[in-house]
Amino acid sequence: GDARGFQTAVACCREARDWEALLRVYDAHAASAHLDAPDGLARTAALQACRLARHGARRAHELWHAWRRDADGGMTRDRPDAFAYSAYAAAFAPRGGLDLDDARRLLRDAERHGVLRPRGFNGTGRVDRRAEQNQMNLLASLLEGCAARGGVGDALVLVDDMEARGLAHDAGYAAAIAACARELDADTSGGLVQRTG
């Protein structure tokens, strides 16, 4: 169906908390020959579903690279925004997250495409609070993955990245502290608590 029909179906799947059904709806939407390529909202909805869907990490990887391929090939004008990057990172968080190299590669990719910017900068001189929050959410999603696997060292590197970009925030510190708690690393946890001040 059309984009409105797709969004209605997505809302039903979310209400039912049926993430596999949502991905099937997306696949049908994407395969509709009479439609243009799925827009950014549709693709982001599918990425969000991957967090709790079976085989969600594999599907997120497929969806992400299909989106980049379609954007580079001119099939869609919508490129991933900070919310989409965050949804992609979040899909891996319950499964231990992206490894450090992939996480930092994703951050560099976001910067290269103008998605991850220094705090308060949007090219107009005005602070874009929504974009800033989505950028923070991206870092928090990556840090959540570190917490899930107890990756204290990786979490500290990402905290440094977060602070260097002027995107330090409580949710990011909390996720890093959770990684320490998983590994019973009280000293590092205490240091992070001090940094939050």
Side-chain angles (χ1 to χ4, degrees), residues 38-58:
D39 63 16
L41 287 174
R43 294 175 192 267
T44 301
L47 285 170
Q48 287 178 296
C50 290
R51 179 181 173 89
L52 295 173
R54 289 190 299 273
H55 310 300
R58 176 177 58 79

Side-chain angles (χ1 to χ4, degrees), residues 35-87:
L35 293 176
D36 294 330
D39 63 16
L41 287 174
R43 294 175 192 267
T44 301
L47 285 170
Q48 287 178 296
C50 290
R51 179 181 173 89
L52 295 173
R54 289 190 299 273
H55 310 300
R58 176 177 58 79
R59 285 304 314 271
H61 183 78
E62 294 168 355
L63 290 165
W64 186 254
H65 287 283
W67 190 350
R68 303 305 300 274
R69 184 180 62 246
D70 288 350
D72 291 343
M75 294 181 64
T76 178
R77 290 179 296 177
D78 291 345
R79 287 191 173 271
D81 59 10
F83 190 66
Y85 274 85
S86 178

Side-chain angles (χ1 to χ4, degrees), residues 82-83 86 89 130 132-142 169 171:
F83 190 66
S86 178
R130 175 178 290 184
E132 190 173 275
Q133 185 61 53
N134 288 337
Q135 292 171 65
M136 290 179 177
N137 289 344
L138 167 56
L139 283 154
S141 294
L142 294 171
H169 59 108

